[in-house]
Amino acid sequence: MDGEELTEQETALYDRQIRVWGADAQRRLSKAHILVCGMKGTIAEFCKNIVLAGIGSLTLVDDRVVTEEALSANFLIPLDENVYAGKTLAELCCDSLKDFNPMVRVSVEKDCSSQVTYQASVENFIVSLMLLWYPAVPSLLRDSCGEIFVDLQLHTYSKKKLEETIECQLQYSSFEEAISVPWKILPRKVSKLYFALRVIERFEEAEGRNPGEVSIADLPSVLKLKKELCDEHSLNESHIPDALLERLVSSTREFPPVCAILGGILGQEVIKGISGKGDPLKNFFFFDAMDGKGLIEDISNSAGS
């Protein structure tokens, strides 16, 4: 991240941002290269935010074609069918994002679904500064509920304390390590969404389905699995309300207002991760539009009780 200073044009364009987080943070952003796989509604909001913030370049990967579901949640897709006919989601979103900030290089990469192709693609990006989430996209959104998981590995950052700037360091757990923490040792206040989403994840894995491939017809099987997991983890079943699971399996479509909220949080965390300024989120963020609450949970082996 060391090297070139901001150009005169960048300094003029990002003047207000520089006043907030400083020239060094903006320089780091302008030299960052970010790879995004999967252009769902939340990710469209995220991409808009980081492009406006002034990252160096953004590469999009999504070879899917436009569907009614994509149109309902992704504001980057033009409404004119003549415009998007024959184009992939990545290509359409790329065209729209270029209009937000001409100084950011936005491009499209071929599908990186295979491990070999994905590894070759990632080698061209700043891997040490990537925020790692599950599943392949940085967030999971079902209906009016959403989850973000952040893994910055060993992260060093600075923050203001009284009149001085102090250096801090955080060690993150991987997603696999976080979800392996026994439920019975987690605090009682942990978001019910955390447990509910793990139940549905386990159901999808057991059935060999992709994320989001559930319906109301699966509810009896999901409730049965919930009971089994609660027994396995010595967790009271009241921590995973049946009504919440029913909501999550009834509608797996993205809810645009929640996309905007999660995309905003996601963009904020990427900016903090790249710039090294401010306390980063550690390590789960949950949002439920039903109560309007956003919760941060540190679920890891190092989190303690």
Side-chain angles (χ1 to χ4, degrees):
M1 299 304 297
D2 297 325
E4 304 173 30
E5 296 299 319
L6 292 170
T7 65
E8 185 176 335
Q9 189 178 5
E10 287 173 323
T11 303
L13 180 62
Y14 304 126
D15 176 67
R16 281 196 280 184
Q17 294 172 191
I18 292 171
R19 294 171 190 268
V20 174
W21 53 52
D24 181 62
Q26 189 63 51
R27 180 180 62 83
R28 287 171 173 264
L29 284 172
S30 70
K31 309 308 171 191
H33 309 291
I34 295 178
L35 172 67
V36 170
C37 294
M39 290 305 300
K40 300 197 64 128
T42 301
I43 307 308
E45 294 281 355
F46 159 72
C47 289
K48 177 256 295 178
N49 291 330
I50 60 173
V51 165
L52 289 174
I55 59 167
S57 68
L58 173 65
T59 301
L60 311 177
V61 180
D62 196 329
D63 286 346
R64 294 176 300 158
V65 297
V66 175
T67 61
E68 182 183 343
E69 182 177 347
L71 272 173
S72 69
N74 189 334
F75 75 98
L76 294 175
I77 303 172
L79 296 178
D80 186 352
E81 188 173 342
N82 295 322
V83 174
Y84 65 73
K87 287 190 174 184
T88 66
L89 281 176
E91 290 169 336
L92 289 167
C93 293
C94 177
D95 293 341
S96 297
L97 286 166
K98 287 178 179 178
D99 293 334
F100 281 95
N101 189 345
M103 293 192 67
V104 175
R105 300 182 301 279
V106 186
S107 61
V108 174
E109 181 62 81
K110 62 183 180 180
D111 181 25
C112 62
S113 55
S114 72
Q115 186 61 38
V116 174
T117 307
Y118 177 74
Q119 184 61 38
S121 298
V122 167
E123 287 174 356
N124 296 320
F125 297 85
I126 305 170
V127 180
S128 63
L129 289 177
M130 290 180 69
L131 273 68
L132 308 180
W133 290 271
Y134 178 89
V137 296
S139 67
L140 178 61
L141 181 58
R142 297 173 189 266
D143 187 47
S144 56
C145 302
E147 171 189 75
I148 293 172
F149 176 76
V150 181
D151 176 8
L152 287 172
Q153 301 174 13
L154 182 60
H155 181 60
T156 302
Y157 64 99
S158 61
K159 68 175 184 178
K160 290 276 189 178
K161 187 173 183 181
L162 299 178
E163 297 300 317
E164 60 178 342
T165 299
I166 60 173
E167 292 290 319
C168 305
Q169 196 170 73
L170 282 177
Q171 177 68 58
Y172 283 77
S173 297
S174 68
F175 182 76
E176 289 74 16
E177 291 169 338
I179 64 172
S180 69
V181 176
W183 291 0
K184 63 182 178 182
I185 71 170
L186 295 175
R188 290 176 59 86
K189 68 176 181 62
V190 167
S191 171
K192 291 178 170 57
L193 261 179
Y194 172 76
F195 299 114
L197 290 170
R198 303 291 79 79
V199 171
I200 293 178
E201 256 170 23
R202 285 286 291 272
F203 175 78
E204 290 169 340
E205 290 171 4
E207 295 292 318
R209 302 185 192 178
N210 292 320
E213 290 183 353
V214 290
S215 69
I216 190 63
D218 296 312
L219 183 60
S221 299
V222 171
L223 294 177
K224 180 175 180 290
L225 178 60
K226 179 196 88 165
K227 186 179 187 313
E228 294 171 357
L229 290 174
C230 285
D231 290 343
E232 177 187 329
H233 287 274
S234 302
L235 183 74
N236 192 305
E237 289 186 45
S238 64
H239 279 73
I240 317 176
D242 290 355
L244 176 57
L245 287 171
E246 183 175 355
R247 279 177 55 207
L248 293 174
V249 300
S250 295
S251 176
T252 57
R253 285 196 171 197
E254 293 182 291
F255 188 43
V258 179
C259 290
I261 292 170
L262 286 182
I265 298 294
L266 202 52
Q268 170 184 287
E269 292 309 311
V270 168
I271 290 170
K272 286 193 289 186
I274 292 173
S275 67
K277 296 288 182 72
D279 290 299
L281 186 157
K282 185 173 185 287
N283 52 356
F284 282 92
F285 175 80
F286 301 97
F287 181 80
D288 189 346
M290 294 296 286
D291 58 19
K293 291 181 180 178
L295 299 174
I296 296 174
E297 304 279 11
D298 183 1
I299 300 176
S300 58
N301 290 319
S302 62
S305 60

